């Protein structure tokens, strides 16, 4: 059976959220195209606790969809071969907390002591997400037993890879200096459409689009696994967008990105997300 996942088969609420979000974000992107530098100069506060907190979140956000995928695969392949759901959930939670602890310990080596609170906050956020993920798989037996689960997970992985690759490619094509380097006079400002390959050797100093914001948008990945009619789908979209906005704001406050950098990352991610929702598998539908 070869059935297409047409636009009309989207979750109706999700379709409204996608359309509304794109319109609003594109509108902000247009405004930023004319006032990027002025906005950056007014928002900059490199010592902002909020900025430091969600700057760290942008680095580790990818852990959340990856954990969702890993836990789902464990349930799919292991739990129904002798291990009870309760035992499996306990093992996964302990494992994820251990991995998170090691990761944050490594991260803390590179941060000043005044960033201890942001690290603790992010550790708490990841633990909360891990608990939600384990509970989700524990309760949604129909998804665990879905014969197309692996295909859906592959689609989620493709989404994450595509948004990351598109971000990295555009960073090197546009080679736009970061606000902090423009404000301090190291480089001249240029708009996102004014490609300047003379900055190609700057290395990490590539501003458009925002990789941290893309990382936060990867929280959309679990939607590819969920039933399209589930009420969790639009909630997942709203949560991903909220954390992306918080991360985007932190990057602007730290003078790491212009407004068009962060909104551009959101637009690219939502377009790729919508496109992948519309594709079909050779055998069966993406959603049942």
């Amino acid at each position: 059976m070869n059935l297409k996942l047409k636009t009309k088969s989207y979750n109706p609420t999700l379709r409204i959220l996608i359309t509304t979000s794109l319109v609003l974000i594109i509108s902000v992107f247009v405004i930023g195209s004319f006032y990027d530098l002025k906005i950056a100069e007014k928002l900059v506060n490199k010592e902002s606790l909020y900025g430091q907190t969600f700057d760290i979140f942008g680095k580790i956000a990818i852990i959340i969809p990856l954990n969702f995928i890993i836990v789902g695969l464990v349930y799919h392949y292991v739990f129904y071969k002798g291990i009870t759901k309760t035992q499996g959930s306990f093992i996964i939670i302990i494992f994820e907390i251990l991995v998170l602890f090691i990761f944050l310990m490594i991260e803390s080596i590179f941060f000043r002591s005044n960033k201890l609170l942001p690290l603790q906050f992010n550790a708490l956020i990841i633990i909360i997400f891990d608990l939600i993920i384990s509970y989700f798989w524990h309760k949604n037996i129909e998804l665990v037993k879905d014969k197309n689960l692996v295909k859906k997970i592959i689609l989620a992985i493709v989404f994450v890879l595509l948004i990351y690759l598109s971000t990295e490619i555009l960073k090197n094509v546009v080679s736009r200096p970061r606000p902090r380097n423009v404000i301090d006079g190291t480089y001249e400002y240029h708009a996102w459409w004014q490609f300047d390959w003379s900055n190609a050797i700057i290395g990490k100093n590539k501003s458009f689009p925002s990789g941290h914001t893309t990382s936060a948008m990867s929280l959309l990945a679990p939607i590819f696994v969920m039933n399209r009619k589930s009420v969790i789908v639009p909630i997942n979209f709203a949560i991903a967008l909220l954390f992306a906005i918080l991360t985007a704001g932190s990057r602007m406050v730290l003078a790491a990105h212009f407004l068009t950098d962060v909104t551009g990352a959101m637009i690219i991610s939502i377009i790729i997300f919508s496109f992948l929702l519309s594709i079909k598998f050779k055998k069966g539908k993406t959603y049942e």
Side-chain angles (χ1 to χ4, degrees), residues 2 20-21 60 87 104 156 231 250 262 278:
N2 190 17
T20 304
S21 300
I60 65 176
Q87 292 171 331
L104 291 177
V231 295
S250 74
V262 296
S278 300

Side-chain angles (χ1 to χ4, degrees), residues 196-231:
D196 184 0
W197 287 280
S198 64
N199 293 322
I201 61 173
I202 298 175
K204 290 186 177 181
N205 187 30
K206 295 177 181 179
S207 187
F208 181 90
S210 166
H212 279 63
T213 306
T214 297
S215 177
M217 291 298 289
S218 71
L219 295 180
L220 291 172
I223 292 177
F224 290 101
V225 175
M226 299 175 189
N227 186 301
R228 68 180 178 85
K229 296 180 180 179
S230 173
V231 295

Side-chain angles (χ1 to χ4, degrees), residues 129-280:
F129 269 108
D130 283 350
L131 292 173
I132 293 173
I133 287 169
S134 294
Y135 179 80
F136 173 86
W137 285 112
H138 187 81
K139 288 296 182 180
N140 289 275
I141 304 300
E142 74 283 356
L143 293 181
V144 175
K145 294 182 177 180
D146 185 358
K147 63 181 180 179
N148 289 320
L149 178 62
V150 175
K151 292 182 179 179
K152 295 176 181 181
I153 285 177
I154 290 174
L155 192 58
I157 294 173
V158 169
F159 165 69
V160 174
L161 289 177
L162 282 180
I163 61 176
Y164 269 90
L165 285 174
S166 60
T167 297
E168 290 306 311
I169 291 172
L170 281 172
K171 276 181 178 292
N172 286 281
V173 170
V174 178
S175 290
R176 186 188 198 186
R178 296 185 184 276
R180 56 174 171 252
N181 298 119
V182 174
I183 293 172
D184 66 17
T186 304
Y187 297 99
E188 291 185 4
Y189 168 81
H190 67 79
W192 62 269
W193 66 84
Q194 297 173 319
F195 299 175
D196 184 0
W197 287 280
S198 64
N199 293 322
I201 61 173
I202 298 175
K204 290 186 177 181
N205 187 30
K206 295 177 181 179
S207 187
F208 181 90
S210 166
H212 279 63
T213 306
T214 297
S215 177
M217 291 298 289
S218 71
L219 295 180
L220 291 172
I223 292 177
F224 290 101
V225 175
M226 299 175 189
N227 186 301
R228 68 180 178 85
K229 296 180 180 179
S230 173
V231 295
I232 302 176
V233 169
I235 294 175
N236 189 153
F237 184 91
I239 290 174
L241 192 59
L242 172 62
F243 275 95
I245 291 171
L246 290 171
T247 302
S250 74
R251 299 300 285 163
M252 293 177 64
V253 167
L254 296 179
H257 285 291
F258 292 104
L259 180 59
T260 51
D261 298 336
V262 296
T263 51
M266 292 182 198
I267 293 169
I268 293 167
S269 298
I270 293 176
I271 289 175
I272 293 175
F273 171 75
S274 301
F275 170 75
L276 290 178
L277 277 184
S278 300
I279 71 170
K280 62 179 181 179

